[in-house]
Amino acid sequence: MENFNYYTPTRVVFGRGAENQTGELVKQQGSRKVLVHYGGHSAKKSGLLERICHSLEETGIDYVSLGGVVPNPRLSLVYEGIKLCRKEQVDFILAVGGGSVIDSAKAIGYGIANEGDVWDFYEGKRQATSCMPVGAVLTISAAGSEMSNSSVITNENGWLKRGYNTDYCRPKFAVMNPELTMTLPKYQTASGCVDIMMHTMERYFNQSDNMELTDGFSEHLIRTVMKNAKILMEHPDDYNARAEVMWAGSLSHNGLMGCGTDGGDWASHQLEHELGGMFDVAHGAGLAAVWSSWARYVLDARPERFARFAVKVMGVEPGADDIETALKGISAMEDFYHMVEMPVRISEMGINLTEEQIRELAEKCSHFGKRTIGCVKKLDQEDMYQIYKNAGK
Ligand code: NZQ
Ligand code: ZN
């Protein structure tokens, strides 16, 4: 087992009616004025936003609002939020929505707490020294941003999607009522389930060994999400299935599933980020579309790990050797993705990549030849090109 540093400072308030405690939770943070940050229309339409504002009013907390966060949240709105917060002397940001809203809130938090252009952090030019506190009322189980140290923003200038990770941005609290996710379209539910599974799978495919407990948690988490995703395809109002998936979403990305590992691979995420930046695809769907192409490309570097995954997670019968078992497991995962109506190729998202676009994706993903990605097998720009090409078929 590798050494690790596990930090999860987020208070989780989970269950039916949890959102009614939001005002009190903000008050406990000692806040005087809050930015209520939200997305397109779902939180308004469901009446959630009104309930949250009511909860703030009841506890005597002043607030201003800024909506309009889109999936693959944009830098321009982050700038607008920073300006608004400075003008209104906001001291706490409340994100009401999914990963995109929470990530936008975190970016605004960095922008207020640090001098200069907030995009510098996402470009890796310099490091933030703090972040204005953020809280979240979660409406979709997916990104895990409600407990994670990460924020992912898309810069419209060049359509670059970049993540920035520090412990400063971990939310102070996460309000999670599984009922709030029942209004999600089937596609978003499935896409979210893929993302949750992938946050654990990225950590699971690593170069470490001897992590009995973490491996066991990980395998069970992925199986649980698959089981409940299937239930939700038929019964979107099943509270227990919503609850299992929601809790899995947080545990999958708060660090727990990486304890004792070398941190994991993360190549599929890096490959997807460029797809999200260039084609605005739903993050989980983009991950499903690249994962099996990545897996087949790298499996000869760790066949025994892929074989374990195939047996313990996908439940396949072992084949003649690890490679055969591994391949069976990858196919079984593709079958699962199809079962929940997720793509397993980029073309299945209606995107027919041109040769030029494949080159551009690989260029951007390799930061124009300046980095490799992944740890199962280190991938350079040419490897990325091959995987995008295979996934594009
Ligand atoms: O804007 P509204 O109208 O709310 O619609 C949203 C959006 O269209 C809708 N939605 C959310 N809750 C709903 C709902 N519709 C009906 N009922 C509800 N209860 O769902 C759509 C997707 O929302 P979004 O917030 O984009 O989803 P998700 O949570 O999957 O977040 C995706 C973003 O998070 C990033 C992704 O790259 C992507 O930009 N990630 C963030 C991570 C992190 N911060 O730790 C890690 C992830 O790996 C990921 O990269
Ligand atoms: Zn993700």
Side-chain angles (χ1 to χ4, degrees), residues 35-40 65-85 93 100-105 107-109 112 118 153-156:
L35 173 72
V36 179
H37 201 32
Y38 59 96
S65 308
L66 179 65
V69 179
V70 293
N72 300 315
R74 309 291 198 256
L75 181 63
S76 55
L77 192 74
V78 170
Y79 288 146
E80 202 179 316
I82 295 168
K83 220 162 127 186
L84 178 67
C85 287
I93 309 171
S100 296
V101 176
I102 303 170
D103 286 2
S104 183
I108 294 171
I112 304 165
V118 70
I153 297 295
T154 296
N155 186 344
E156 301 96 315

Side-chain angles (χ1 to χ4, degrees), residues 60 68 87 139 157 220 284 357-358 366:
K87 179 169 155 253
T139 64
N157 184 8
H220 191 61
Q357 286 170 329
I358 297 173
S366 67

